[in-house]
Amino acid sequence: MQQNLTIKSSTRWTLTVAGLTLVGATAGHAAGFALIEQSVPDMGTAYAGAAASANSVGTLYFNPAGMTRLPGTRVGAAVHLVDPDTEFNNGNTRNALGVRIRGNDGGDAGDLAAVPHFYLTHQVDDKVWVGLAVNAPFGLTTEYKSGWVGRYHAIKSEVKTVNINPSIAYKLNDKVSLALGVSAMYLEGEFTSAIDFGLLSGNPAFASQPQFDGKSEIDGDSWGYGYNLGVLLEPTQDTRIGLHFRSKVDQDIQGDVEFELPAPLRPLLAGTFTDANAKTDVELPASASLSVMHQVNSEWAVMADYTRTEWSAIPALRFEFDNSLPDNVTTFDWEETYRVALGASVKPTGSDWTWRFGAAYDESPVKSAETRSARLPDTDRIWLTVGAGFHPSDDLRIDFGYAHLFMNDAKISKTATAGTEDFSRGSLNGSYEASVDILSIEAEYVF
């Protein structure tokens, strides 16, 4: 290999693999790559009071202690249609040699997704309730056009989770209920990006030329386990206070990495960039919520919520490969976040309809343009929501919800500096404009 570049070949391999990491999610849903879309009635109030309202089977996710307010046996199922709009613009991208990387802006990186959930609660006696929740607490789908200017940073990112969460609640007395749940969470991910093999060839004329681009794809999955605890306090007939803690979940992801090599450079690269097994450990964050709900009169109720999420549990990710490629480390520098929400509901006297309104501020774990990733152009957001619940019969309730998320512009500033993980990916400077629309429907039946 020619040595026109001043960096050693072993270092080039290390920095190239830095483009393969699992890196969070697109701007949308809750902060980071959490999915808060777990209850349609609570969505109508922007999830204000979600751990205290205990007015639907959705309490299984936000505070299973709320089951003690749900008599009989109940089944609920919902789907949330999430439509994020994420567009990159004003791009200025250059490789490590200072040569401008050509390409398009990537189009709309967001993708319409359906987020379902299923809940079942059962009253055993006047003290004990049991429940089962099946939902998706984390997830993302982001995909750019393959020829975009940031293709060496990311093309496709997809994470899917399924969480199976049985729980039990105990009514200590009329004012205190306690709950414990355990969960088994399946995670599956796919991450692709282009690789600038022209830059790595040692010939500056080949650098960042599409005909010398290759591609990498990491696929992996795992099971992780956790628990959640809930307390519901009812100091008065009209006031409820909910406390809920959801533990971290360790995911030991096992999978593989596959490479597509450009034909002109295949003889040079084939001995090093071979398909291999890959693994990494991810700690999905713990969270804690405090909610309050107060029934003002026979028609109106108001509620509030504060939730803190320990996103600093993911300071970095390290992939290990079982071929000759060295470990890959990507730094996040994420921080803990908070979410605050206020909401209200009204059920006019004699009506079968309940109307809901809410607003929330949701903080992003990404704190600077330098640490923001093309896989996660995440930023702070404001939620505005409306919802409605309809009782066509005593046994059936149907709920609707709509939310629009206003996202702050998210700047990204990556520098292709020798010795950094962005050397082979090139610089990426610009900004993202994003918003999210969510439309939801849920049905709950009482047996």
Side-chain angles (χ1 to χ4, degrees):
M1 178 183 293
Q2 301 179 45
Q3 296 298 321
N4 303 57
L5 301 181
T6 58
I7 214 160
K8 295 181 179 180
S9 79
S10 62
T11 305
R12 288 201 293 269
W13 303 141
T14 302
L15 296 174
T16 299
V17 177
L20 307 180
T21 54
L22 178 147
V23 191
T26 187
H29 317 159
F33 54 99
L35 299 178
I36 197 174
E37 295 86 351
Q38 308 297 343
S39 166
V40 176
D42 290 307
M43 179 181 168
T45 60
Y47 299 100
S53 58
N55 59 4
S56 76
V57 289
T59 193
L60 273 173
Y61 180 80
F62 292 100
N63 184 0
M67 282 192 290
T68 61
R69 292 185 57 85
L70 303 178
T73 300
R74 300 175 182 235
V75 173
V79 62
H80 306 262
L81 297 178
V82 184
D83 187 17
D85 183 4
T86 305
E87 297 187 3
F88 174 79
N89 52 58
N90 302 319
N92 179 12
T93 61
R94 297 181 182 274
N95 63 26
L97 302 178
V99 177
R100 190 177 183 90
I101 300 172
R102 302 294 178 179
N104 58 67
D105 284 341
D108 182 2
D111 194 12
L112 180 67
V115 181
H117 65 245
F118 170 82
Y119 300 130
L120 169 67
T121 66
H122 174 67
Q123 182 179 5
V124 178
D125 54 35
D126 60 354
K127 289 290 187 180
V128 178
W129 279 253
V130 293
L132 175 66
V134 181
N135 55 3
F138 297 93
L140 73 99
T141 301
T142 316
E143 188 166 10
Y144 300 89
K145 295 180 180 179
S146 59
W148 84 294
V149 293
R151 59 190 178 273
Y152 305 126
H153 291 256
I155 296 177
K156 181 179 180 180
S157 307
E158 185 174 61
V159 171
K160 298 178 182 178
T161 59
V162 177
N163 191 54
I164 303 170
N165 190 173
S167 55
I168 184 170
Y170 182 77
K171 188 172 184 178
L172 193 63
N173 53 48
D174 289 341
K175 295 184 180 298
V176 181
S177 297
L178 308 174
L180 166 67
V182 294
S183 62
M185 186 189 303
Y186 176 75
L187 181 148
E188 179 181 79
E190 176 186 343
F191 304 89
T192 68
S193 61
I195 300 178
D196 190 353
F197 285 122
L199 173 67
L200 302 178
S201 71
N203 188 335
F206 294 170
S208 307
Q209 298 300 313
Q211 65 268 33
F212 298 115
D213 282 356
K215 186 178 179 181
S216 66
E217 179 179 321
I218 289 182
D219 295 283
D221 61 3
S222 68
W223 281 92
Y225 305 92
Y227 65 92
N228 56 309
L229 304 171
V231 179
L232 183 66
L233 306 176
E234 303 181 61
T236 72
Q237 184 177 356
D238 296 323
T239 302
R240 297 194 289 277
I241 301 170
L243 298 167
H244 185 240
F245 173 78
R246 188 168 290 276
S247 76
K248 67 179 183 179
V249 176
D250 291 322
Q251 295 281 0
D252 182 13
I253 300 172
Q254 306 286 331
D256 56 68
V257 56
E258 296 181 354
F259 297 99
E260 293 181 11
L261 306 180
L265 300 178
R266 190 170 293 126
L268 174 68
L269 303 169
T272 301
F273 287 89
T274 58
D275 297 347
N277 294 324
K279 64 179 182 178
T280 189
D281 296 326
V282 181
E283 184 179 301
L284 300 179
S287 63
S289 298
L290 169 63
S291 295
V292 178
M293 177 179 181
H294 179 67
Q295 193 71 40
V296 178
N297 54 41
S298 61
E299 296 185 344
W300 283 90
V302 294
M303 56 283 296
D305 180 85
Y306 176 88
T307 295
R308 184 174 178 85
T309 304
E310 301 294 324
W311 284 111
S312 62
I314 314 179
L317 286 173
R318 176 184 297 272
F319 271 100
E320 299 178 7
F321 307 94
D322 67 354
N323 58 12
S324 60
L325 294 174
D327 292 355
N328 159 44
V329 180
T330 295
T331 302
F332 288 97
D333 194 30
W334 280 2
E335 297 182 11
E336 286 80 1
T337 64
Y338 68 89
R339 184 182 191 276
V340 292
L342 296 173
S345 67
V346 57
K347 186 178 187 302
T349 302
S351 174
D352 292 327
W353 287 87
T354 300
W355 304 97
R356 307 180 181 100
F357 319 89
Y361 176 77
D362 202 357
E363 186 184 32
S364 168
V366 181
K367 298 305 178 183
S368 71
E370 291 74 22
T371 59
R372 182 168 283 111
S373 167
R375 297 192 190 275
L376 177 55
D378 194 51
T379 185
D380 299 345
R381 69 215 70 195
I382 294 175
W383 290 63
L384 291 181
T385 68
V386 294
F390 174 59
H391 286 262
S393 70
D394 292 339
D395 298 327
L396 178 64
R397 187 177 79 186
I398 301 175
D399 289 284
F400 308 90
Y402 170 76
H404 182 79
L405 279 60
F406 298 87
M407 319 284 289
N408 292 339
D409 288 351
K411 293 183 178 181
I412 186 169
S413 180
K414 296 291 188 180
T415 304
T417 304
T420 70
E421 57 200 30
D422 290 318
F423 171 78
S424 65
R425 293 184 289 197
S427 65
L428 183 60
N429 296 283
S431 63
Y432 285 88
E433 295 181 358
S435 63
V436 182
D437 290 287
I438 306 171
L439 183 64
S440 306
I441 184 171
E442 180 171 4
E444 180 175 322
Y445 189 80
V446 181
F447 291 92

